[in-house]
Amino acid sequence: SSSSSSSSSSSPKRNGHGDASVSALSTSRNLEERYHAFEGHSVRYVRGKNTHDASKPNVLLIHGFGGNADQWRNNTSYFANEKKYNVYALDLLGYGYSDKPDPTAPGREKNDIYNFHTWARQINEFIETEMEGNTKKAFVMCNSVGGVAGLQAALDKPDNCLGLCLINISMRGLHVTKQPAFAKPLIEAFQTFLRTSAIGPKFFANVARKETVSNILKEAYHDSSAVTDELVDVILKPGMTEGASKVFLDFISYSGGPLPEDLLPQVSQGENATPTLMLWGEKDPWEKMEDGRKLYEKYANAGFTVLKGVGHCPMDENPALVNPLMSEFIERYL
């Protein structure tokens, strides 16, 4: 597929995977993959094939840890083909079929590439330079750690974000401020060990197997029938690409940076508040809905909606439930 970013100095590669079955996830749904340059790196996104319509909203979809644009395939196709929105699903730098610059390269500190500030810049730069049309504003829908990136983006450039939908946002339980004092040195030592020793890649190699990915997804998704072979491939294949293990090991050692409770009051409160809807799958085993409600409901100025019978990635587990909630939110704040 062609890239519209012809002006960039480093011409992005046209196809980051060369895998017809990956391309078919998009083409079979009347979507297309494209690449553009972000800070010298090639970044993939998936968009609707429909021509840009200035009367329709712009929507950006942001995945979570270990995810990619294809996890949104049944949401992107709904927005593009049923709602006729101008929709784009991004692969964050380091994930999917975007470039995976080496976080252990000489002169690099841990987490200085793969962090919420980098991904916030990526989101804002995409809105400003890659999105079609004259209205450089978008509704941003995010899952899990993607929600923290979306919040940081909305805080950095509030004019770019018309509304934020945060789906099972990551509460960042391993953040240094949330670790018990006795555990901090142990956690840091273990993270450093995984990141720098020969054990790390072996640990990742064990995770990046069909059976392991399937089991992890069956934990995250309440309805195990939603964990299809297609979904396992969506998550697993990018994990087999060069550099993926270093990104994984770098991110699991990321215990600094912003917390949702730091960002939410700045984004969703005050006179220039960004409309913020929180959706939360009640069966999420990792980010517990009751904990999230206690911490964040007061900041969800567009509502906090509990989603019955779904886990950590409700937009994929039950798109028929989540798609109308997202489009109602968009239309309420257009």
Side-chain angles (χ1 to χ4, degrees), residues 7 63 89 110-111 113 126 149 209 231-232 243 248 272 289 305:
S7 60
H63 63 81
K110 73 170 186 169
N111 313 134
I113 316 178
F126 187 90
R209 290 170 39 225
L231 175 62
V232 171
F248 173 88
N272 297 318
M289 183 276 293
T305 303

Side-chain angles (χ1 to χ4, degrees), residues 57-127:
N58 301 319
V59 182
L60 227 59
L61 308 176
I62 309 295
H63 63 81
F65 175 56
N68 61 79
D70 296 330
Q71 200 178 5
W72 293 93
R73 62 206 179 285
N74 296 319
N75 317 103
T76 315
S77 59
Y78 165 80
F79 286 135
N81 301 318
E82 289 185 46
K83 303 301 289 184
K84 309 295 182 195
Y85 294 172
N86 310 303
V87 61
Y88 310 86
L90 306 194
D91 280 355
L92 294 174
L93 186 68
Y95 291 102
Y97 300 100
S98 289
D99 279 353
K100 299 168 181 67
D102 184 351
T104 65
R108 287 221 168 108
E109 299 292 316
K110 73 170 186 169
N111 313 134
D112 71 356
I113 316 178
Y114 301 113
N115 61 58
F116 296 114
H117 299 285
T118 298
W119 293 320
R121 288 197 310 276
Q122 182 184 343
I123 291 166
N124 280 317
E125 191 174 300
F126 187 90
I127 292 170

Side-chain angles (χ1 to χ4, degrees), residues 262-278:
D262 301 330
L263 301 173
L264 272 162
Q266 300 179 76
V267 170
S268 72
Q269 310 295 293
E271 55 189 81
N272 297 318
T274 300
T276 305
L277 171 67
M278 300 193 89

Side-chain angles (χ1 to χ4, degrees), residues 169-186:
I169 193 170
S170 167
M171 293 183 275
R172 305 211 57 211
L174 270 179
H175 194 274
V176 67
T177 59
K178 298 190 175 187
Q179 297 169 14
F182 73 88
K184 281 181 190 174
L186 294 171

Side-chain angles (χ1 to χ4, degrees), residues 12-35:
K13 53 186 177 248
R14 293 290 181 256
N15 185 335
H17 50 74
D19 185 328
S21 64
V22 174
S23 299
L25 293 167
S26 295
T27 54
S28 67
R29 292 171 172 85
N30 199 34
L31 306 171
E32 62 180 356
E33 297 173 283
R34 287 196 179 182
Y35 291 82

